[in-house]
Amino acid sequence: MFVIVGLGNPGSKYELTRHNIGFLTIDRLAKREGARVDRIKFKSLIGEININGEKVILVKPQTFMNLSGEAVREVMNFYKVDLKNLLVVVDDIDITPFTLRLKKSGSAGSHNGMKSIIYNLNDDKFPRLKVGVGNNERKIDLANYVLSGFEKKDQEKLENIIDASCDAILDFIKHGADYVMNNYNNKLSE
C-alpha cells in the first residue's frame, strides 16, 4: 500500500496558486486513473486508486498548508503504511522552475507544510517529490509569492510538469524511489 499526499490549501481562492501544485497533481492523477478525491476523512479529502495491484490512497489535507502534518499523521496512523511508501508532493521555490526532484528524506527547508509533516510524524525519512514553482525573481514577500498564480505564458509548462509529476508518482509506485531519482530529477519539463 502507498499513500500519496499532495500539499495545498483548500478553497477556490488558492486553487491555482504555486502552493497548490500538490493538490493539482493529485487531482490530475485521480482523473487519469478514473478516480475522485472527494471523501472527507482524516482532516483530508481522500481517494483511492489501484496501481499494479497496489492500493494507493490519494490525500489532499484540508487543514491549510501550515497544519498539513496533522492530516498526514492521522492517515499514516490509520493505514500503518511504512514511511518509505509515503510520498509527499510539494512545491519548491529553491529548484529550477518546472522541474522535479525526488528526495528520499531530508529537512523541510523553508516549507511550513513539510515542517508540519516532519514534526507530526517525528521523522523526516519519507520520500518527497518537489516541484519547482519559480524562484521569486520579483522579490515579493515569500507568502505572497507562493500564494500567487502562474503567469499565462507558463500555462503549458505548468500542464506539462503536472503530467510529469503524475508519471513520476506512478513510476515511484511501480519501480521505486531510485528509478524516479534517476529518470526525473532536474529534467526540465518541455
Side-chain angles (χ1 to χ4, degrees):
M1 176 184 285
F2 289 84
V3 172
I4 311 298
V5 176
L7 295 188
N9 286 307
S12 58
K13 174 182 176 182
Y14 302 105
E15 189 173 358
L16 298 175
T17 64
R18 288 175 172 83
H19 233 11
N20 271 35
I21 198 79
F23 277 17
L24 295 170
T25 300
I26 292 294
D27 288 341
R28 175 79 49 88
L29 181 60
K31 184 176 181 180
R32 281 174 49 172
E33 297 297 318
R36 293 172 51 164
V37 181
D38 59 0
R39 288 192 335 253
I40 299 171
K41 200 171 183 180
F42 313 118
K43 299 180 184 176
S44 302
L45 291 175
I46 303 284
E48 186 178 314
I49 59 176
N50 190 293
I51 304 295
N52 281 6
E54 289 280 355
K55 183 178 185 176
V56 179
I57 306 300
L58 303 176
V59 181
K60 292 170 49 179
Q62 299 296 290
T63 53
F64 287 91
M65 184 65 76
N66 293 355
L67 300 176
S68 297
E70 294 175 8
V72 174
R73 181 187 66 230
E74 287 191 23
V75 170
M76 297 301 287
N77 285 344
F78 182 83
Y79 288 108
K80 309 281 191 246
V81 174
D82 190 302
L83 282 181
K84 70 179 176 42
N85 287 356
L86 165 67
L87 179 63
V88 177
V89 183
V90 59
D91 60 287
D92 193 314
I93 63 163
D94 295 321
I95 62 174
T96 304
F98 307 107
T99 62
L100 298 176
R101 184 177 301 154
L102 187 127
K103 291 184 67 181
K104 291 183 184 179
S105 65
S107 76
S110 62
H111 200 285
N112 289 332
M114 288 299 294
K115 287 177 185 175
S116 175
I117 293 171
I118 291 168
Y119 174 80
N120 277 274
L121 295 179
N122 199 28
D123 204 325
D124 67 355
K125 292 173 184 60
F126 59 88
R128 66 281 320 256
L129 182 63
K130 298 177 169 198
V131 183
V133 295
N135 55 10
N136 196 7
E137 297 157 349
R138 292 176 285 159
K139 305 294 182 214
I140 62 175
D141 174 70
L142 179 60
N144 289 336
Y145 180 74
V146 296
L147 294 175
S148 66
F150 293 90
E151 295 181 34
K152 286 187 182 187
K153 68 179 179 67
D154 291 329
Q155 287 306 306
E156 186 176 347
K157 290 178 185 176
L158 175 62
E159 293 298 316
N160 290 342
I161 200 63
I162 292 171
D163 280 334
S165 298
C166 292
D167 294 341
I169 291 167
L170 294 174
D171 281 335
F172 172 80
I173 294 164
K174 294 174 187 175
H175 306 294
D178 288 333
Y179 180 90
V180 173
M181 291 167 69
N182 289 330
N183 289 283
Y184 291 87
N185 278 11
N186 300 318
K187 293 183 180 165
L188 194 60
S189 180
E190 299 295 329

